[in-house]
Amino acid sequence: MSQTKESWSSRLGVIMAVAGSAVGLGNFLRFPGLAAQYGGGAFMLAYAISFLIIALPIGWAEWAMGRYAGSRGYHSAPGAFAVIIRRPWAKYAGVIGVIIPVVIYLYYVVIEGWCLGYAVNFWTGRLHLHDAQGTVEYYNAFTGATADAASLEFSMDKTLPWLLAVFVFNFWLIYRGLSGGIEKMCNIGLPLLIVLAMVVLVRVLTLGAPDPARPNDTVANGLGYMWNPSKVLVVQSTTGHAAKIREVVGAQALAKAEAEVAASHGALVLKTISPWTQLANPSLWLAAAGQIFFSLAVGFGIIIVYASYMRPKDDVVLSGLTASSANEFCEVALGGLITVPAAVAFLGVAGIAGQAGVGLGFKVLPLVFARMPAGSFFGGAFFFMLFLAAITSSIAMLQPGIAFIEEALGVGRRVSVALLGFLTTSGTSLVAYYSRDLKALDTLDFWGGTFLIFTLATIQVIVFGWIWGIDRGFAEMNKGAAFPVPRLFRPIIRWVCPAFLLTIFAMWLMKEVLGIDLVTFQSGAASSYVTDLFGREARLPAQLSIGLLVALLIVFVLMAARSKAFRRAEQGLDNHSAPPPK
């Protein structure tokens, strides 16, 4: 069966689809936690710089390469790499752009099920949370974090029924195609997500100080905790080694801390950490670059596939900028104003210290909503908002695999959906079964959702700036553009992006894999992500997860090796033309 020609119904459709792929759980969970953890205003400065010199230019490069490949009849990352590079190895490098979104989908859809389950349970009044211990216990029971397969029961308070529902819904949408499934879902889901986020945001910003007995725990101080460029700490100095006791936010809290310090007779001091001191921390840059990287879906293999279905004269510069702006609005203006301020208002700065990502979203915020007037409604709205953010991202993760299978095997959508459905069912089942400590999920996220993303993004920017050529790349990028990309971005893409990415990648490997302290450069124990795979501390779920990743890689490499379409691409021929001689 031959492929059916697909396309977006409008330029707005592809913008909404790309924005939907970028707007996800990280906008509302990961970003606020990182911003609070790494200095607020200082983190935002590093975040903005990373956006300008990594995310935006690499995103534009992906849009240009994808649209060019689509004009030649290729809609997968291996096909795009092959027709641009025209070397036999190119299609195998492109396989990374298939592996990444498929592997991320395997665990992302599980978290998506959590979001839907929490939303429904909030709205139906099934969640009765009174303290932090109860919130954590419910989370562990729902996700099965206490024992393998513990959540695989048909219960409203377990993962299984919600996972099945969202898994089927994802494949129903992807089977309907680009315009009939992905585009329609994003056109509905993204505006609805923003409306729900605005409703929750208004409620959060009007909370004030919910507990009269704790007047310093306010929304305003929550905003200050996350956004202030400088940090004020109360530290202990009697031992000669200042140790952080707590962070002080707000005028009243500062006045109280000053009185406490004055009464301590030198045992306590106030210490102000400037944004410049914070920016000297390599871990801050690593976190900021990583967040902006993942937030915009740069290096996922998604943008290059989505852009391949655009017309040759469609404006990729404005489309890329618009999609990036939509994502940044959801992340900074919505996610950054909802999550941490609400948690600080109810739990205080100390109550959310060290909480980020999934921990903040599922272990802390449910308790916040349980204490809020009309909390069942707003809690349900928040988690349904997360579900919408997740679904628009997860369907985007399936399309690169669908496009690859159709192109590599020359089959139609029914067969490609069936094959990818079988592969992802097997992988997601492994993640759901090995739920203890979320070990399988965490392993795939680290190696597939972080390591490989850095790898692919680095390959893509080198291909665009050095192999395809900066002149040819910019000519393609600016074709049909309402305004050309400023020439300043030419040296940024050619020189700054590769250097920045390689530096960040090296720092990430040193810290997260080798266990080296990036401030003192002292070596420590190897990361658990390494010891989980080798030696006496090896854990079966982690090993099986890596085995699954390698198995998928082998399957996709074999498909690419046998593809006649990719052989045509290597010779610079359009797809569906006469096959090359053997």
Side-chain angles (χ1 to χ4, degrees), residues 209-513:
D211 188 350
R214 292 155 49 195
N216 293 325
D217 293 343
T218 67
V219 169
N221 285 347
L223 293 172
Y225 173 68
M226 194 174 74
W227 292 93
N228 285 346
S230 298
K231 294 291 182 183
V232 179
L233 308 178
V234 176
V235 298
Q236 187 174 1
S237 60
T238 53
T239 61
H241 297 85
K244 176 179 176 181
I245 295 181
R246 69 180 186 277
E247 183 174 336
V248 180
V249 182
Q252 292 184 355
L254 180 59
K256 183 178 179 181
E258 289 174 343
E260 183 181 354
V261 168
S264 71
H265 304 292
L268 299 176
V269 296
L270 283 178
K271 182 177 181 181
T272 300
I273 303 178
S274 70
W276 313 115
T277 301
Q278 298 171 61
L279 287 172
N281 179 9
S283 295
L284 181 147
W285 286 94
L286 184 63
Q291 174 61 24
I292 194 67
F293 209 57
F294 309 142
S295 177
L296 290 176
V298 172
F300 276 60
I302 294 173
I303 294 175
I304 201 168
V305 172
Y306 273 14
S308 72
Y309 294 101
M310 299 179 72
R311 294 183 293 270
K313 290 290 186 179
D314 283 346
D315 188 342
V316 298
V317 177
L318 185 59
S319 297
L321 185 59
T322 305
S324 299
S325 300
N327 175 76
E328 291 308 292
F329 172 76
C330 290
E331 180 154 291
V332 177
L334 297 180
L337 296 180
I338 291 175
T339 308
V340 172
V344 169
F346 280 94
L347 306 176
V349 172
I352 66 168
Q355 296 285 352
V358 170
L360 183 61
F362 290 92
K363 296 179 182 178
V364 175
L365 288 181
L367 184 59
V368 169
F369 292 118
R371 296 179 178 181
M372 183 186 296
S376 293
F377 169 77
F378 288 106
F382 177 81
F383 282 101
F384 192 71
M385 175 193 70
L386 293 184
F387 165 71
L388 291 173
I391 194 73
T392 55
S393 297
S394 60
I395 55 176
M397 296 168 194
L398 292 173
Q399 182 59 30
I402 294 292
F404 169 72
I405 294 173
E406 290 178 352
E407 205 161 83
L409 303 182
V411 298
R413 200 162 194 89
R414 180 177 299 177
V415 175
S416 64
V417 168
L419 286 175
L420 189 62
F422 171 76
L423 293 174
T424 53
T425 298
S426 303
T428 300
S429 297
L430 184 145
V431 173
Y433 182 84
Y434 288 105
S435 58
R436 183 176 182 179
D437 300 328
L438 306 180
K439 180 55 63 177
L441 185 156
D442 194 32
T443 302
L444 290 176
D445 179 52
F446 184 84
W447 293 108
T450 305
F451 177 81
L452 287 181
I453 289 177
F454 272 113
T455 303
L456 180 62
T458 304
I459 292 173
Q460 285 181 157
V461 76
I462 292 174
V463 167
F464 184 89
W466 293 89
I467 299 178
W468 203 23
I470 201 72
D471 292 331
R472 187 177 181 183
F474 264 70
E476 177 64 33
M477 188 187 297
N478 291 325
K479 188 187 299 181
F483 58 87
V485 175
R487 292 185 62 84
L488 173 65
F489 282 97
R490 295 170 69 95
I492 287 178
I493 291 179
R494 189 171 173 85
W495 298 100
V496 178
C497 278
F500 197 98
L501 277 173
L502 290 172
T503 301
I504 292 294
F505 196 18
M507 290 168 54
W508 180 83
L509 288 173
M510 291 168 60
K511 178 183 178 183
E512 301 294 345
V513 177

